[in-house]
Amino acid sequence: MAWPIFRTEGVTKVYDTGEVQVHALAGVDLTLFAGELAVLLGPSGSGKSTLLNILGGLDRASSGHVWFRDTDLTALRERGLTRFRRDHVGFVFQFYNLVPSLSARENVQLVTDVAREPMPPEEALGLVGLSHRMDHFPAEMSGGEQQRVAIARAIAKRPEVLLCDEPTGALDSKTGIQVLEALKDINDRFGTTTVVITHNAAIRKMAHRVVRFQDGRITEVEVNETRLAPHEIVW
Amino acid sequence: MEAIDIKLLRDFRRLWAQALAIALVLGCGVAIFLTSFGMFRALEDTRAAYYERNRFADVFVTARRVPGHMVEAIAAIPGVSTVETRVTGSVVLDIPGREETAVGLVISLPNGGLSQLNRPVIRSGRLPDPDAADRVMVNAPFALAHGFGAGDVFSANLNGRKRPLTITGTVLSPEYIYTLGPGALMPDNEGFGIIWMPERAAAAAFDMTGAFNSVSMSLTRGADEAEVIDRLDDLLEPYGGMGAYGREQQVSNSFIDAEIASLRSTALILPPVFFGITAFLVNMVLGRIIALERSQIGLLKAVGYSNWEVCLHYLLLAGLVAVAGIVLGWAVGGWLAHALAELYADFFDFPFLIYRVSYDVYAISAAIALASAGLGAARAALSAARLSPAVAMAPPAPPRYSRNLFDRMLAALRLSQPAMMILRAILRWPVRSGLTVLGLALAVAVMVAATFTEDSLDKIVDAAFFQSNRQDAILYFTEDKPISVLEEIRRLPGVMAVEGQYYLSAELRHGHREKQIALEARPEGSDLARVVDERGHVVVVPENALVLTRRLATHLDARPGDVIEVEFQGDKRQTNELPVAALVTQYFGLGAFIDYDTANRLFRQAPQITMANILIDPRHEADLHARLKDMPGLAGTVMLTDTRRSFQETIAENVLIMNTIYVTIAVLITVGVAYNGARVQLSERARELASLRILGFTRGEVSAILMGETVVLALAAQPVGWLLGWGISWAMTEGFTSDLYAVPLVLRPATFAQASIVVLVACLGAVLLVRRRLDRMDLVAVMKTRE
Ligand SMILES: Nc1ncnc2c1ncn2[C@@H]1O[C@H](COP(=O)(O)OP(=O)(O)OP(=O)(O)O)[C@@H](O)[C@H]1O
Ligand SMILES: [Mg+2]
């Protein structure tokens, strides 16, 4: 396997809600390698989304360090984090988060407008098999199609990492598989480091590595000797 | 175009109704600002340039007859720069084709041609030959009103003889920008003209050879005007000086001052109301949009848009609303300014027009409009900028409901469930509810203030023309006459009744305060012209005392019982001390009243009069005028019937325009506030309302809850609006009051009722528009959307 792209060291996250302090992350040490597809598994509330947000520069760790290559993300200010997100990271969310007033093409364009070396929105939509729906608005598309637009949006900037928080959470198995196919295809083709959070343990079979979470800690990291293609996964 | 800009434009298009409602309010503010501030500046600049170019004098005085050599003594007063003397006099005119008499003010032209001070601008023709006795120039508006040009002839009663005068040209003068004839309330260019006559002819006509009776002077920079006036008065006292005065008491100038002041106060008072309401509406609407677009904001940040770019995105949305408002405001304001300029052209006579709102006023209005929208957007846009992306992407935590004091109070009231929902929503957002009430109250107040103007003008007209001055015409003489002259007038054709009236110019002093005024006296039992107080009672002036108008008393800081030093001017040079017997409210002028017999006794003279008030039999009016045109010793006439009619016509016209404007303004404010308020509520409570519908509430019941909130707020706004309206009206009476006139505070219950009806109806209309949306609401879609 290749060189590390993300490395965390003793990352903690404490939410102070006034009455109680929630320790969402209680010391996470993890290394992610370039080109790998990792799946994060764990019970609800175990801190998966929190870690993903910190990796993607959406949120800050309470203590510890996060390195992206040689950059210590925890040392970056607001402006640096924005640059980092803009230049290096693609996000896919559970609820797609498309802008309803923009068509599919324009939703992708929203990202290519600010990225450094993006691919044309049409090409990105082609990669997820939506060339024929480019001018449709989110309200005119199914959940799976919307999620694939979200993936096109995430990959259009040619990010080094793709962070996906329950990308199939709102989808049925058939559309879920389509979405996972798209993710795997990107990972294979461009070597984009991909992290997928899921509640569906079956999905772990498509990963290079599976990271298990429990109570804000990593309990186990497992390497898949043989990977399955998404369509081979039994849901 | 960038995708984020496409989003901006699409959002703007989707919000068009709300944006329009705000833009109309903002546009209103821009239009009023543009018109009032633009016109204020245009008028001030035009006047300043005119005065500068044509050397408008700083100090003026008239006297009975001053020997020519006095000019050196006057010029020697420290601080005087240029002195110019002239002969002036009032004459009765006979204009071909006009039945009624007209009045002319003759001003002498120096032998060299045009005067150095108050230099007239020749509009057409040329100067008359200095030696000609029957060649004159007239003011251009007078010529225009009669269709006169060079070569045309009219007659004037000069020195008891009617003489034809030939017009050689027309002029405008900085002294007569607002050309008000004696006793007139509004310019009447047909009935009053200014006549420039060569000095020799004028002196001969008024028996002033080797003398003068009018002085204008300019002062050096830094000269003490009050000091110069005092010295001048001392110098001219032996020659019947009538009291010198500065620019602020010069009639034409003081009317322009009053107009400029009223434009300025309009520019300062009204537009801020609209800009404030705009800021509030933008704040309310944008706050809601940002709450709805929370996850989109998170997404923008997640994909790499900076806080500033997100903030700017929402500021631009407010900016688009502002631009719409500015465009509307400019269009309407440009048109209004044009209309106002035409109105001014009727009243003010300037030789050149700067009646154009300059570009920088447009720029300032746009800057203020953008600033107010920006200010309104700032809070919401900054909250969007501050929103952390991780938080924005997560579904919002359900709002924390806790039972506070209000809830317990509401519970104690045992209201029905819909009433509870309405009241709780109002109390949940106290600031917003408060500002909504304030916005609607301002709409009510604007209506009240507009109607009040109409009522107070009615009251003034009634007091001045139907209670106090009931004569048909005033005849005034070139000099005071014995009262027996009334017998002569009574014998004129068509005169049904005649009464005398006596005027004495005097300076009143009390402590350090002094004021130059005309003291009025009328023989006992006068019925045509009377002093009537604000309750309609006729005021009888007691012997050996003064009655002061209330504003004069304030001016002099005098109360009944105080003793006033009265220095008579003109022919009657003496000083007396008289106590103040009473104060009386009068709307025109700063007058004072004295008993007729007392006045004559003070000068140990047989009863004298300055003018005669007459009632005319309309059947013989033509005969009467024919005789007046030839009557020796008559300086002029004031036709009150005409004054009454033209005043009422002008008021009726203005009131119609003003009412239309103010009703429009009130409706725009109401719709802007009520519509946006209801839309925001609908958006916030869509789920709640949809679930009520699903639970089986009817459409009517559900929309009653939505409309109920706005209606409750609108009702609460009424008393606040009445109070504000009362306050604004009071402030306006204070602002309008000047030496020229006072405005009474007349507020009828109908005024409040009308204001409330307009606002409540507009409010209901706005809410019904929103109700239609509620009726068409897709229940399933609403329940499915994630907030
Ligand atoms: N903004 C917040 N304020 C307070 N507590 C938070 C906040 N965000 C997350 N938490 C808490 O942090 C812990 C970890 O949350 P996180 O969202 O990372 O879990 P998760 O593993 O993604 O769960 P799920 O599978 O349900 O998405 C939870 O206990 C959660 O309640
Ligand atoms: Mg999660």
Side-chain angles (χ1 to χ4, degrees), chain B residues 90-109:
Chain B
S90 174
V91 293
V92 173
L93 307 180
D94 182 3
I95 290 162
R98 180 178 157 99
E99 177 186 290
E100 291 173 18
T101 53
V103 177
L105 180 74
V106 172
I107 299 177
S108 63
L109 283 169

Side-chain angles (χ1 to χ4, degrees), chain A residues 19 53 57-59 78 82 85-86 91 93 95-103 106-107 109-111 113-114 137 153 157, chain B residues 1-4 6-7 10-11 14 295-296 298-307 309 388-391 393 395 400 786:
Chain A
E19 297 111 53
N53 286 346
L58 285 181
D59 208 349
E78 184 61 41
T82 301
R85 293 197 296 264
R86 175 185 295 207
F91 285 101
F93 304 97
F95 294 104
Y96 336 132
N97 278 340
L98 298 182
V99 174
S101 55
L102 297 179
S103 67
E106 290 156 351
N107 261 289
Q109 194 197 331
L110 202 57
V111 172
D113 280 342
V114 292
F137 284 90
R153 181 177 65 189
K157 67 164 78 158
Chain B
M1 200 190 303
E2 303 223 326
I4 193 161
I6 297 175
K7 167 175 172 350
R10 295 229 175 99
D11 287 348
R14 182 168 50 83
S295 64
Q296 293 183 45
L299 172 91
L300 286 173
K301 292 188 176 184
V303 302
Y305 284 85
S306 68
N307 292 348
E309 284 165 322
S388 136
V391 174
M393 303 300 288
R400 238 179 283 171
R786 189 177 75 103

